Amino acid sequence: MGREVAESCIDSLLTEMVSSYCNHFYANKPELAARRIEAIGYQVGHQLSERYTMERPRFSDHLEAIKFICKDFWSELFKKQIDNLKTNHRGTFVLQDNRFRWLSRMSPEPSLENVDSQDPSENKAAQATSMHLYFPCGIIRGALSNLGIPCAVSADISNLPACEYI
Amino acid sequence: MAPVAPRSGDAIFANVERVNAELFTLTYGAIVRQLLTDLEEVEEVNKQLDEMGYNIGVRLIDEFLAKSNVSRCVDFKETAEVIAKVGFKMFLGITATVTNWDADGTSCSLVLEDNPLVDFVELPDTCQGLYYCNILSGVIRGGLEMVSMKTEVTWLRDMLRGDDAYELQVKLLKQVPEEYPYKDDE
Protein backbone atom coordinates (compact mmCIF):
# COMPACT_ATOMS: atom_id res chain seq x y z
CA MET A 1 0.00 0.00 0.00
CA GLY A 2 2.15 2.82 -1.26
CA ARG A 3 5.39 3.55 0.45
CA GLU A 4 7.52 1.09 2.32
CA VAL A 5 10.48 1.20 4.65
CA ALA A 6 12.83 -1.51 5.77
CA GLU A 7 11.47 -3.70 8.52
CA SER A 8 14.55 -3.16 10.59
CA CYS A 9 13.56 0.49 10.93
CA ILE A 10 10.38 -0.30 12.72
CA ASP A 11 12.01 -3.10 14.70
CA SER A 12 14.78 -0.81 15.91
CA LEU A 13 12.37 1.98 16.65
CA LEU A 14 10.14 -0.25 18.75
CA THR A 15 13.01 -1.86 20.60
CA GLU A 16 14.49 1.53 21.36
CA MET A 17 11.15 2.91 22.47
CA VAL A 18 10.52 0.04 24.87
CA SER A 19 14.06 0.21 26.17
CA SER A 20 13.89 3.98 26.71
CA TYR A 21 10.64 3.80 28.57
CA CYS A 22 11.59 0.81 30.66
CA ASN A 23 15.15 1.61 31.52
CA HIS A 24 15.42 5.31 31.16
CA PHE A 25 12.16 6.94 32.06
CA TYR A 26 10.41 4.63 34.40
CA ALA A 27 13.26 2.45 35.45
CA ASN A 28 11.58 1.06 38.53
CA LYS A 29 7.99 1.49 37.59
CA PRO A 30 7.17 -1.06 34.95
CA GLU A 31 3.44 -0.42 35.19
CA LEU A 32 3.87 3.22 34.25
CA ALA A 33 6.20 2.33 31.40
CA ALA A 34 3.70 -0.27 30.23
CA ARG A 35 0.91 2.23 30.26
CA ARG A 36 2.91 4.69 28.18
CA ILE A 37 3.86 2.06 25.65
CA GLU A 38 0.25 0.99 25.40
CA ALA A 39 -0.79 4.61 24.93
CA ILE A 40 1.60 4.97 22.02
CA GLY A 41 0.12 1.82 20.52
CA TYR A 42 -3.38 3.17 21.06
CA GLN A 43 -2.58 6.32 19.05
CA VAL A 44 -1.15 4.29 16.22
CA GLY A 45 -4.05 1.84 16.16
CA HIS A 46 -6.56 4.63 16.21
CA GLN A 47 -5.00 6.47 13.29
CA LEU A 48 -4.35 3.36 11.26
CA SER A 49 -7.89 2.08 11.57
CA GLU A 50 -9.09 5.53 10.56
CA ARG A 51 -7.08 5.35 7.38
CA TYR A 52 -7.93 1.76 6.55
CA THR A 53 -11.66 2.13 6.98
CA MET A 54 -12.13 5.37 5.15
CA GLU A 55 -13.91 3.89 2.18
CA ARG A 56 -15.83 1.24 3.98
CA PRO A 57 -19.33 1.45 5.38
CA ARG A 58 -19.72 1.06 9.12
CA PHE A 59 -19.37 -2.43 10.53
CA SER A 60 -22.67 -4.04 11.35
CA ASP A 61 -21.61 -5.72 14.53
CA HIS A 62 -18.68 -6.50 16.75
CA LEU A 63 -17.86 -9.71 14.98
CA GLU A 64 -17.50 -7.93 11.66
CA ALA A 65 -15.18 -5.41 13.20
CA ILE A 66 -13.05 -8.10 14.80
CA LYS A 67 -12.89 -9.96 11.52
CA PHE A 68 -11.68 -6.79 9.87
CA ILE A 69 -8.94 -6.54 12.43
CA CYS A 70 -8.00 -10.16 11.88
CA LYS A 71 -7.90 -9.99 8.14
CA ASP A 72 -7.40 -6.63 6.50
CA PHE A 73 -5.91 -4.66 9.33
CA TRP A 74 -3.44 -7.34 10.35
CA SER A 75 -2.46 -7.90 6.71
CA GLU A 76 -1.69 -4.26 6.24
CA LEU A 77 0.49 -4.21 9.28
CA PHE A 78 2.12 -7.61 9.26
CA LYS A 79 1.50 -8.97 5.76
CA LYS A 80 -0.42 -11.90 7.10
CA GLN A 81 -3.75 -12.52 8.72
CA ILE A 82 -4.52 -13.68 12.21
CA ASP A 83 -4.27 -17.46 12.23
CA ASN A 84 -6.99 -18.31 14.62
CA LEU A 85 -10.00 -16.52 16.05
CA LYS A 86 -11.99 -17.88 18.94
CA THR A 87 -14.87 -16.40 20.82
CA ASN A 88 -17.09 -17.28 23.71
CA HIS A 89 -19.93 -15.30 22.15
CA ARG A 90 -20.11 -13.27 25.29
CA GLY A 91 -17.76 -10.49 24.39
CA THR A 92 -14.40 -12.19 24.63
CA PHE A 93 -12.36 -12.86 21.54
CA VAL A 94 -9.02 -14.56 21.31
CA LEU A 95 -6.88 -13.67 18.34
CA GLN A 96 -3.97 -15.95 17.75
CA ASP A 97 -1.00 -15.23 15.60
CA ASN A 98 1.34 -18.17 15.26
CA ARG A 99 4.30 -16.28 14.03
CA PHE A 100 4.07 -12.78 15.34
CA ARG A 101 6.63 -10.74 13.46
CA TRP A 102 7.79 -8.49 16.20
CA LEU A 103 8.43 -11.38 18.52
CA SER A 104 10.06 -13.63 16.00
CA ARG A 105 13.46 -12.42 17.00
CA MET A 106 13.03 -12.94 20.69
CA SER A 107 14.21 -16.17 22.18
CA PRO A 108 11.55 -18.41 23.66
CA GLU A 109 11.45 -18.51 27.40
CA PRO A 110 11.76 -21.96 28.91
CA SER A 111 8.85 -21.57 31.25
CA LEU A 112 6.55 -18.63 31.52
CA GLU A 113 4.05 -20.37 33.76
CA ASN A 114 6.52 -20.57 36.56
CA VAL A 115 5.83 -17.23 38.18
CA ASP A 116 7.49 -18.11 41.46
CA SER A 117 10.83 -18.39 39.82
CA GLN A 118 13.62 -17.18 42.04
CA ASP A 119 15.86 -16.43 39.13
CA PRO A 120 15.68 -12.66 38.51
CA SER A 121 17.25 -12.77 35.07
CA GLU A 122 14.57 -15.04 33.75
CA ASN A 123 11.90 -12.72 35.01
CA LYS A 124 13.61 -9.74 33.44
CA ALA A 125 13.67 -11.32 30.03
CA ALA A 126 10.04 -12.31 30.28
CA GLN A 127 9.22 -8.83 31.45
CA ALA A 128 11.02 -7.26 28.50
CA THR A 129 9.03 -9.41 26.12
CA SER A 130 5.76 -8.54 27.76
CA MET A 131 6.67 -4.86 27.62
CA HIS A 132 7.05 -5.13 23.89
CA LEU A 133 3.61 -6.63 23.68
CA TYR A 134 1.90 -3.66 25.23
CA PHE A 135 2.44 -1.87 21.98
CA PRO A 136 0.45 -4.23 19.73
CA CYS A 137 -2.18 -4.53 22.45
CA GLY A 138 -2.50 -0.79 22.31
CA ILE A 139 -2.76 -0.88 18.55
CA ILE A 140 -5.64 -3.33 18.70
CA ARG A 141 -7.39 -1.40 21.44
CA GLY A 142 -6.98 1.86 19.51
CA ALA A 143 -8.25 0.36 16.29
CA LEU A 144 -11.29 -1.20 17.95
CA SER A 145 -12.19 1.88 19.89
CA ASN A 146 -12.09 3.87 16.70
CA LEU A 147 -14.58 1.39 15.30
CA GLY A 148 -16.82 2.05 18.24
CA ILE A 149 -15.89 -0.91 20.40
CA PRO A 150 -14.37 -0.06 23.75
CA CYS A 151 -12.39 -3.00 25.02
CA ALA A 152 -9.43 -4.22 26.97
CA VAL A 153 -6.68 -6.15 25.28
CA SER A 154 -4.09 -8.34 26.86
CA ALA A 155 -1.50 -10.64 25.39
CA ASP A 156 -0.41 -14.10 26.21
CA ILE A 157 2.83 -15.57 25.06
CA SER A 158 3.03 -19.06 26.35
CA ASN A 159 4.40 -20.31 23.09
CA LEU A 160 6.73 -17.93 21.41
CA PRO A 161 6.65 -16.87 18.65
CA ALA A 162 2.92 -17.41 18.79
CA CYS A 163 1.00 -14.66 20.44
CA GLU A 164 -2.60 -14.51 21.58
CA TYR A 165 -4.60 -11.36 22.05
CA ILE A 166 -7.62 -11.48 24.27
CA MET B 1 37.69 -15.81 -2.97
CA ALA B 2 36.82 -12.76 -5.02
CA PRO B 3 35.50 -9.89 -2.94
CA VAL B 4 31.80 -9.29 -3.34
CA ALA B 5 31.03 -6.03 -5.06
CA PRO B 6 29.07 -3.51 -3.04
CA ARG B 7 25.41 -3.58 -3.89
CA SER B 8 23.44 -0.58 -4.87
CA GLY B 9 20.95 0.87 -2.48
CA ASP B 10 18.04 -0.07 -4.71
CA ALA B 11 19.10 -3.67 -4.91
CA ILE B 12 19.38 -3.98 -1.16
CA PHE B 13 16.11 -2.26 -0.55
CA ALA B 14 14.43 -4.64 -2.95
CA ASN B 15 15.79 -7.56 -0.97
CA VAL B 16 15.16 -6.56 2.61
CA GLU B 17 11.92 -7.26 4.37
CA ARG B 18 9.80 -4.18 4.06
CA VAL B 19 6.81 -2.95 5.94
CA ASN B 20 4.15 -0.40 5.41
CA ALA B 21 5.68 3.02 5.82
CA GLU B 22 2.50 4.32 7.41
CA LEU B 23 2.99 2.08 10.39
CA PHE B 24 6.47 3.49 10.76
CA THR B 25 5.40 7.09 10.32
CA LEU B 26 2.50 6.79 12.73
CA THR B 27 4.53 4.93 15.31
CA TYR B 28 7.23 7.58 15.19
CA GLY B 29 4.60 10.29 15.45
CA ALA B 30 2.99 8.63 18.43
CA ILE B 31 6.36 8.28 20.13
CA VAL B 32 7.17 11.95 19.61
CA ARG B 33 3.74 12.94 20.86
CA GLN B 34 4.12 10.79 23.95
CA LEU B 35 7.59 12.17 24.61
CA LEU B 36 6.24 15.70 24.38
CA THR B 37 3.57 14.84 26.93
CA ASP B 38 5.99 13.13 29.27
CA LEU B 39 8.97 15.40 28.99
CA GLU B 40 7.16 18.66 28.29
CA GLU B 41 10.30 20.59 27.34
CA VAL B 42 10.98 20.67 23.61
CA GLU B 43 14.72 20.69 24.18
CA GLU B 44 14.45 17.56 26.30
CA VAL B 45 12.52 15.84 23.57
CA ASN B 46 15.13 16.84 20.99
CA LYS B 47 17.81 15.39 23.20
CA GLN B 48 15.87 12.20 23.81
CA LEU B 49 15.23 11.68 20.11
CA ASP B 50 18.91 12.13 19.43
CA GLU B 51 19.78 9.60 22.17
CA MET B 52 17.33 7.08 20.81
CA GLY B 53 18.70 7.64 17.34
CA TYR B 54 22.22 7.12 18.60
CA ASN B 55 21.32 3.79 20.17
CA ILE B 56 19.58 2.71 17.00
CA GLY B 57 22.50 3.85 14.81
CA VAL B 58 24.98 1.90 16.86
CA ARG B 59 23.11 -1.31 16.02
CA LEU B 60 21.93 -0.40 12.55
CA ILE B 61 25.49 0.05 11.28
CA ASP B 62 26.07 -3.70 11.65
CA GLU B 63 23.13 -4.50 9.47
CA PHE B 64 24.18 -1.83 7.04
CA LEU B 65 27.68 -3.17 6.67
CA ALA B 66 26.47 -6.74 6.42
CA LYS B 67 23.89 -6.09 3.76
CA SER B 68 25.65 -3.53 1.66
CA ASN B 69 29.07 -5.12 1.37
CA VAL B 70 30.74 -1.74 1.14
CA SER B 71 34.44 -1.89 1.65
CA ARG B 72 36.22 0.52 3.93
CA CYS B 73 35.63 4.08 2.81
CA VAL B 74 38.78 5.86 1.75
CA ASP B 75 37.81 9.21 3.16
CA PHE B 76 34.97 11.14 4.67
CA LYS B 77 33.72 12.20 1.25
CA GLU B 78 33.13 8.61 0.28
CA THR B 79 31.51 7.95 3.64
CA ALA B 80 29.03 10.72 3.10
CA GLU B 81 28.16 9.48 -0.38
CA VAL B 82 27.62 5.98 0.91
CA ILE B 83 25.30 7.18 3.66
CA ALA B 84 23.33 9.28 1.24
CA LYS B 85 22.99 6.79 -1.56
CA VAL B 86 23.04 3.41 0.12
CA GLY B 87 22.21 3.99 3.75
CA PHE B 88 19.13 6.10 3.40
CA LYS B 89 17.95 4.03 0.47
CA MET B 90 18.17 0.65 2.10
CA PHE B 91 16.40 1.66 5.26
CA LEU B 92 14.02 4.42 4.37
CA GLY B 93 13.72 3.98 0.63
CA ILE B 94 14.88 7.51 -0.12
CA THR B 95 18.10 8.97 -1.41
CA ALA B 96 19.85 12.03 -0.18
CA THR B 97 22.25 14.28 -1.98
CA VAL B 98 25.57 15.40 -0.60
CA THR B 99 26.43 19.07 -1.01
CA ASN B 100 28.24 21.95 0.59
CA TRP B 101 31.61 20.44 1.20
CA ASP B 102 33.88 22.73 3.12
CA ALA B 103 37.47 23.43 2.23
CA ASP B 104 39.11 20.56 4.07
CA GLY B 105 36.44 17.98 3.33
CA THR B 106 35.38 17.45 6.92
CA SER B 107 31.94 18.91 6.77
CA CYS B 108 29.11 18.45 4.33
CA SER B 109 25.37 18.60 4.03
CA LEU B 110 23.00 15.77 3.37
CA VAL B 111 19.89 17.04 1.67
CA LEU B 112 16.65 15.10 1.73
CA GLU B 113 13.77 16.12 -0.46
CA ASP B 114 11.54 13.38 0.78
CA ASN B 115 11.23 11.97 4.25
CA PRO B 116 8.90 9.16 5.28
CA LEU B 117 9.03 10.21 8.93
CA VAL B 118 7.06 13.34 8.26
CA ASP B 119 4.21 12.17 6.05
CA PHE B 120 1.06 13.90 7.21
CA VAL B 121 2.88 15.69 10.02
CA GLU B 122 2.34 19.30 10.96
CA LEU B 123 3.95 20.94 13.92
CA PRO B 124 1.63 22.94 16.15
CA ASP B 125 2.68 26.35 17.40
CA THR B 126 3.37 24.97 20.85
CA CYS B 127 6.23 22.93 19.49
CA GLN B 128 8.45 25.60 18.07
CA GLY B 129 11.99 24.49 18.48
CA LEU B 130 11.23 20.81 18.08
CA TYR B 131 13.45 18.97 15.66
CA TYR B 132 10.92 16.35 14.73
CA CYS B 133 13.40 14.24 12.77
CA ASN B 134 16.12 14.46 15.33
CA ILE B 135 16.23 10.73 15.55
CA LEU B 136 17.94 10.72 12.15
CA SER B 137 20.80 12.85 13.35
CA GLY B 138 21.32 10.44 16.23
CA VAL B 139 21.29 7.44 13.93
CA ILE B 140 23.98 8.93 11.70
CA ARG B 141 26.09 9.98 14.65
CA GLY B 142 25.78 6.54 16.27
CA GLY B 143 26.50 4.64 13.10
CA LEU B 144 29.57 6.69 12.26
CA GLU B 145 30.94 6.44 15.74
CA MET B 146 30.92 2.67 15.40
CA VAL B 147 33.17 3.02 12.38
CA SER B 148 35.58 5.21 14.27
CA MET B 149 34.36 8.62 13.24
CA LYS B 150 33.25 11.12 15.79
CA THR B 151 30.84 13.53 14.21
CA GLU B 152 28.52 16.33 15.01
CA VAL B 153 25.21 16.27 13.18
CA THR B 154 22.93 19.29 13.11
CA TRP B 155 19.85 20.36 11.22
CA LEU B 156 20.25 23.27 8.86
CA ARG B 157 16.92 23.11 7.12
CA ASP B 158 13.69 21.50 8.21
CA MET B 159 10.60 21.35 6.04
CA LEU B 160 8.34 21.23 9.07
CA ARG B 161 9.62 24.65 9.97
CA GLY B 162 8.89 26.09 6.57
CA ASP B 163 12.08 25.36 4.67
CA ASP B 164 12.03 23.69 1.29
CA ALA B 165 14.00 20.59 2.13
CA TYR B 166 15.66 18.73 4.98
CA GLU B 167 19.32 19.50 5.35
CA LEU B 168 21.60 17.83 7.84
CA GLN B 169 25.09 19.07 8.39
CA VAL B 170 27.54 16.31 9.19
CA LYS B 171 30.84 17.50 10.57
CA LEU B 172 33.70 15.13 11.14
CA LEU B 173 35.29 15.99 14.46
CA LYS B 174 37.76 13.23 14.88
CA GLN B 175 38.72 10.07 13.17
CA VAL B 176 39.63 7.65 15.91
CA PRO B 177 41.84 4.92 14.54
CA GLU B 178 40.83 1.43 15.47
CA GLU B 179 42.74 0.12 18.41
CA TYR B 180 43.50 -3.49 18.81
CA PRO B 181 42.55 -4.75 22.22
CA TYR B 182 45.83 -6.54 22.61
CA LYS B 183 48.89 -4.53 23.47
CA ASP B 184 52.21 -5.35 21.91
CA ASP B 185 54.52 -6.35 24.71
CA GLU B 186 57.66 -6.00 22.69
Short mmCIF file of all heavy atoms in Angstrom, two decimals, chain B residues 132-168:
data_model
loop_
_atom_site.label_atom_id
_atom_site.label_comp_id
_atom_site.label_asym_id
_atom_site.label_seq_id
_atom_site.Cartn_x
_atom_site.Cartn_y
_atom_site.Cartn_z
N TYR B 132 11.71 17.57 14.81
CA TYR B 132 10.92 16.35 14.73
C TYR B 132 11.75 15.15 14.28
O TYR B 132 11.56 14.05 14.76
CB TYR B 132 9.74 16.59 13.78
CG TYR B 132 8.76 15.47 13.71
CD1 TYR B 132 7.78 15.30 14.68
CD2 TYR B 132 8.80 14.56 12.67
CE1 TYR B 132 6.88 14.27 14.62
CE2 TYR B 132 7.90 13.53 12.60
CZ TYR B 132 6.94 13.39 13.57
OH TYR B 132 6.05 12.36 13.50
N CYS B 133 12.65 15.37 13.33
CA CYS B 133 13.40 14.24 12.77
C CYS B 133 14.73 14.03 13.46
O CYS B 133 15.63 13.43 12.88
CB CYS B 133 13.68 14.46 11.29
SG CYS B 133 12.20 14.86 10.39
N ASN B 134 14.83 14.52 14.68
CA ASN B 134 16.12 14.46 15.33
C ASN B 134 16.66 13.05 15.51
O ASN B 134 17.84 12.87 15.75
CB ASN B 134 16.05 15.16 16.69
CG ASN B 134 17.32 15.93 16.98
OD1 ASN B 134 18.03 16.32 16.06
ND2 ASN B 134 17.63 16.11 18.25
N ILE B 135 15.75 12.09 15.41
CA ILE B 135 16.23 10.73 15.55
C ILE B 135 17.24 10.39 14.44
O ILE B 135 18.18 9.64 14.65
CB ILE B 135 15.04 9.74 15.56
CG1 ILE B 135 15.42 8.49 16.31
CG2 ILE B 135 14.53 9.45 14.18
CD1 ILE B 135 14.26 7.62 16.68
N LEU B 136 17.03 10.99 13.27
CA LEU B 136 17.94 10.72 12.15
C LEU B 136 19.35 11.21 12.44
O LEU B 136 20.33 10.57 12.07
CB LEU B 136 17.44 11.40 10.86
CG LEU B 136 16.20 10.81 10.21
CD1 LEU B 136 15.83 11.61 8.98
CD2 LEU B 136 16.43 9.36 9.84
N SER B 137 19.45 12.34 13.08
CA SER B 137 20.80 12.85 13.35
C SER B 137 21.51 11.92 14.34
O SER B 137 22.69 11.66 14.21
CB SER B 137 20.77 14.29 13.85
OG SER B 137 20.02 14.40 15.02
N GLY B 138 20.73 11.39 15.29
CA GLY B 138 21.32 10.44 16.23
C GLY B 138 21.77 9.16 15.56
O GLY B 138 22.85 8.63 15.84
N VAL B 139 20.94 8.69 14.61
CA VAL B 139 21.29 7.44 13.93
C VAL B 139 22.60 7.59 13.17
O VAL B 139 23.48 6.74 13.24
CB VAL B 139 20.16 7.04 12.95
CG1 VAL B 139 20.58 5.86 12.10
CG2 VAL B 139 18.90 6.68 13.70
N ILE B 140 22.75 8.72 12.47
CA ILE B 140 23.98 8.93 11.70
C ILE B 140 25.17 9.04 12.63
O ILE B 140 26.23 8.44 12.42
CB ILE B 140 23.85 10.19 10.82
CG1 ILE B 140 22.76 9.95 9.77
CG2 ILE B 140 25.16 10.52 10.14
CD1 ILE B 140 22.50 11.11 8.86
N ARG B 141 25.00 9.79 13.69
CA ARG B 141 26.09 9.98 14.65
C ARG B 141 26.50 8.64 15.27
O ARG B 141 27.68 8.32 15.37
CB ARG B 141 25.64 10.95 15.74
CG ARG B 141 26.74 11.44 16.65
CD ARG B 141 26.22 12.60 17.49
NE ARG B 141 25.12 12.23 18.35
CZ ARG B 141 25.25 11.74 19.59
NH1 ARG B 141 26.45 11.58 20.08
NH2 ARG B 141 24.19 11.41 20.30
N GLY B 142 25.49 7.84 15.65
CA GLY B 142 25.78 6.54 16.27
C GLY B 142 26.46 5.59 15.31
O GLY B 142 27.44 4.93 15.64
N GLY B 143 25.93 5.54 14.09
CA GLY B 143 26.50 4.64 13.10
C GLY B 143 27.95 4.98 12.80
O GLY B 143 28.83 4.12 12.77
N LEU B 144 28.21 6.28 12.61
CA LEU B 144 29.57 6.69 12.26
C LEU B 144 30.53 6.48 13.40
O LEU B 144 31.71 6.19 13.19
CB LEU B 144 29.58 8.16 11.83
CG LEU B 144 29.00 8.40 10.43
CD1 LEU B 144 28.96 9.87 10.10
CD2 LEU B 144 29.83 7.67 9.39
N GLU B 145 30.03 6.63 14.62
CA GLU B 145 30.94 6.44 15.74
C GLU B 145 31.41 4.99 15.80
O GLU B 145 32.54 4.73 16.20
CB GLU B 145 30.24 6.82 17.04
CG GLU B 145 31.20 6.81 18.20
CD GLU B 145 30.75 7.73 19.30
OE1 GLU B 145 30.20 8.80 18.99
OE2 GLU B 145 30.97 7.38 20.47
N MET B 146 30.54 4.08 15.39
CA MET B 146 30.92 2.67 15.40
C MET B 146 31.96 2.35 14.34
O MET B 146 32.59 1.30 14.39
CB MET B 146 29.68 1.79 15.17
CG MET B 146 28.78 1.73 16.36
SD MET B 146 29.59 1.03 17.79
CE MET B 146 29.72 2.44 18.85
N VAL B 147 32.10 3.24 13.34
CA VAL B 147 33.17 3.02 12.38
C VAL B 147 34.27 4.05 12.59
O VAL B 147 34.89 4.52 11.65
CB VAL B 147 32.66 3.02 10.92
CG1 VAL B 147 31.90 1.75 10.66
CG2 VAL B 147 31.81 4.21 10.60
N SER B 148 34.45 4.38 13.84
CA SER B 148 35.58 5.21 14.27
C SER B 148 35.55 6.66 13.84
O SER B 148 36.60 7.28 13.74
CB SER B 148 36.91 4.62 13.82
OG SER B 148 36.91 3.24 13.96
N MET B 149 34.38 7.19 13.57
CA MET B 149 34.36 8.62 13.24
C MET B 149 33.47 9.36 14.21
O MET B 149 32.28 9.07 14.32
CB MET B 149 33.77 8.82 11.84
CG MET B 149 34.73 8.38 10.76
SD MET B 149 34.03 8.69 9.16
CE MET B 149 34.10 7.08 8.48
N LYS B 150 34.07 10.32 14.88
CA LYS B 150 33.25 11.12 15.79
C LYS B 150 32.72 12.30 15.01
O LYS B 150 33.49 13.06 14.43
CB LYS B 150 34.11 11.62 16.96
CG LYS B 150 34.02 10.71 18.17
CD LYS B 150 34.65 11.33 19.40
CE LYS B 150 33.67 11.77 20.45
NZ LYS B 150 32.71 10.75 20.88
N THR B 151 31.43 12.45 15.01
CA THR B 151 30.84 13.53 14.21
C THR B 151 29.87 14.35 15.01
O THR B 151 29.42 13.97 16.09
CB THR B 151 30.04 12.96 13.03
OG1 THR B 151 29.14 11.99 13.55
CG2 THR B 151 30.93 12.33 12.00
N GLU B 152 29.55 15.49 14.42
CA GLU B 152 28.52 16.33 15.01
C GLU B 152 27.49 16.51 13.90
O GLU B 152 27.83 16.90 12.78
CB GLU B 152 29.13 17.67 15.36
CG GLU B 152 28.27 18.53 16.25
CD GLU B 152 28.96 19.84 16.52
OE1 GLU B 152 29.92 19.83 17.31
OE2 GLU B 152 28.57 20.85 15.91
N VAL B 153 26.25 16.21 14.22
CA VAL B 153 25.21 16.27 13.18
C VAL B 153 24.15 17.28 13.59
O VAL B 153 23.56 17.15 14.66
CB VAL B 153 24.55 14.89 12.99
CG1 VAL B 153 23.59 14.91 11.83
CG2 VAL B 153 25.62 13.84 12.76
N THR B 154 23.94 18.27 12.75
CA THR B 154 22.93 19.29 13.11
C THR B 154 22.01 19.55 11.92
O THR B 154 22.35 19.31 10.77
CB THR B 154 23.59 20.63 13.48
OG1 THR B 154 24.69 20.84 12.62
CG2 THR B 154 24.05 20.65 14.91
N TRP B 155 20.83 20.05 12.26
CA TRP B 155 19.85 20.36 11.22
C TRP B 155 20.04 21.78 10.72
O TRP B 155 20.09 22.71 11.51
CB TRP B 155 18.43 20.23 11.77
CG TRP B 155 18.02 18.83 11.99
CD1 TRP B 155 18.00 18.16 13.17
CD2 TRP B 155 17.59 17.90 11.01
NE1 TRP B 155 17.58 16.89 12.99
CE2 TRP B 155 17.32 16.69 11.66
CE3 TRP B 155 17.40 17.97 9.62
CZ2 TRP B 155 16.87 15.55 10.99
CZ3 TRP B 155 16.96 16.83 8.95
CH2 TRP B 155 16.71 15.64 9.64
N LEU B 156 20.17 21.92 9.40
CA LEU B 156 20.25 23.27 8.86
C LEU B 156 18.91 23.72 8.30
O LEU B 156 18.52 24.86 8.42
CB LEU B 156 21.30 23.32 7.72
CG LEU B 156 22.74 23.10 8.16
CD1 LEU B 156 23.67 23.19 6.97
CD2 LEU B 156 23.15 24.13 9.20
N ARG B 157 18.23 22.77 7.68
CA ARG B 157 16.92 23.11 7.12
C ARG B 157 15.92 22.04 7.52
O ARG B 157 16.26 20.86 7.57
CB ARG B 157 17.00 23.17 5.59
CG ARG B 157 17.47 24.50 5.04
CD ARG B 157 17.27 24.56 3.54
NE ARG B 157 18.21 23.74 2.82
CZ ARG B 157 18.07 23.48 1.51
NH1 ARG B 157 17.05 23.95 0.84
NH2 ARG B 157 18.96 22.72 0.90
N ASP B 158 14.71 22.46 7.77
CA ASP B 158 13.69 21.50 8.21
C ASP B 158 12.37 21.89 7.56
O ASP B 158 11.87 22.99 7.78
CB ASP B 158 13.60 21.59 9.75
CG ASP B 158 12.74 20.51 10.34
OD1 ASP B 158 11.87 19.95 9.65
OD2 ASP B 158 12.93 20.23 11.54
N MET B 159 11.82 20.99 6.77
CA MET B 159 10.60 21.35 6.04
C MET B 159 9.44 21.64 6.97
O MET B 159 8.54 22.41 6.64
CB MET B 159 10.18 20.22 5.10
CG MET B 159 10.65 20.44 3.71
SD MET B 159 10.44 18.94 2.77
CE MET B 159 9.84 19.58 1.27
N LEU B 160 9.44 21.01 8.14
CA LEU B 160 8.34 21.23 9.07
C LEU B 160 8.38 22.64 9.65
O LEU B 160 7.45 23.10 10.28
CB LEU B 160 8.36 20.21 10.21
CG LEU B 160 8.02 18.80 9.78
CD1 LEU B 160 8.20 17.85 10.95
CD2 LEU B 160 6.58 18.72 9.32
N ARG B 161 9.51 23.29 9.46
CA ARG B 161 9.62 24.65 9.97
C ARG B 161 9.50 25.65 8.83
O ARG B 161 9.83 26.82 9.01
CB ARG B 161 10.96 24.85 10.64
CG ARG B 161 11.08 24.05 11.90
CD ARG B 161 12.44 24.26 12.46
NE ARG B 161 12.57 23.66 13.75
CZ ARG B 161 13.37 24.12 14.70
NH1 ARG B 161 14.08 25.19 14.49
NH2 ARG B 161 13.45 23.50 15.84
N GLY B 162 9.08 25.15 7.66
CA GLY B 162 8.89 26.09 6.57
C GLY B 162 9.97 26.12 5.51
O GLY B 162 9.83 26.80 4.51
N ASP B 163 11.05 25.35 5.72
CA ASP B 163 12.08 25.36 4.67
C ASP B 163 11.64 24.46 3.53
O ASP B 163 10.64 23.77 3.61
CB ASP B 163 13.41 24.84 5.23
CG ASP B 163 13.93 25.73 6.34
OD1 ASP B 163 13.91 26.95 6.16
OD2 ASP B 163 14.32 25.18 7.39
N ASP B 164 12.47 24.45 2.47
CA ASP B 164 12.03 23.69 1.29
C ASP B 164 12.59 22.29 1.22
O ASP B 164 12.28 21.55 0.30
CB ASP B 164 12.43 24.47 0.03
CG ASP B 164 13.91 24.83 0.06
OD1 ASP B 164 14.54 24.68 1.12
OD2 ASP B 164 14.43 25.26 -0.97
N ALA B 165 13.43 21.95 2.15
CA ALA B 165 14.00 20.59 2.13
C ALA B 165 14.53 20.30 3.52
O ALA B 165 14.49 21.15 4.41
CB ALA B 165 15.12 20.48 1.11
N TYR B 166 15.03 19.07 3.71
CA TYR B 166 15.66 18.73 4.98
C TYR B 166 17.15 18.72 4.75
O TYR B 166 17.63 18.02 3.87
CB TYR B 166 15.21 17.34 5.44
CG TYR B 166 13.77 17.32 5.80
CD1 TYR B 166 12.82 16.88 4.89
CD2 TYR B 166 13.34 17.76 7.04
CE1 TYR B 166 11.48 16.90 5.20
CE2 TYR B 166 12.01 17.77 7.36
CZ TYR B 166 11.08 17.35 6.44
OH TYR B 166 9.76 17.36 6.75
N GLU B 167 17.87 19.48 5.52
CA GLU B 167 19.32 19.50 5.35
C GLU B 167 20.00 19.23 6.68
O GLU B 167 19.77 19.92 7.66
CB GLU B 167 19.76 20.86 4.80
CG GLU B 167 21.22 20.88 4.41
CD GLU B 167 21.61 22.17 3.70
OE1 GLU B 167 20.68 22.83 3.18
OE2 GLU B 167 22.78 22.50 3.69
N LEU B 168 20.86 18.22 6.64
CA LEU B 168 21.60 17.83 7.84
C LEU B 168 23.06 18.16 7.60
O LEU B 168 23.62 17.76 6.59
CB LEU B 168 21.55 16.31 8.01
CG LEU B 168 20.47 15.67 8.82
CD1 LEU B 168 20.56 14.18 8.67
CD2 LEU B 168 20.61 16.03 10.28
#
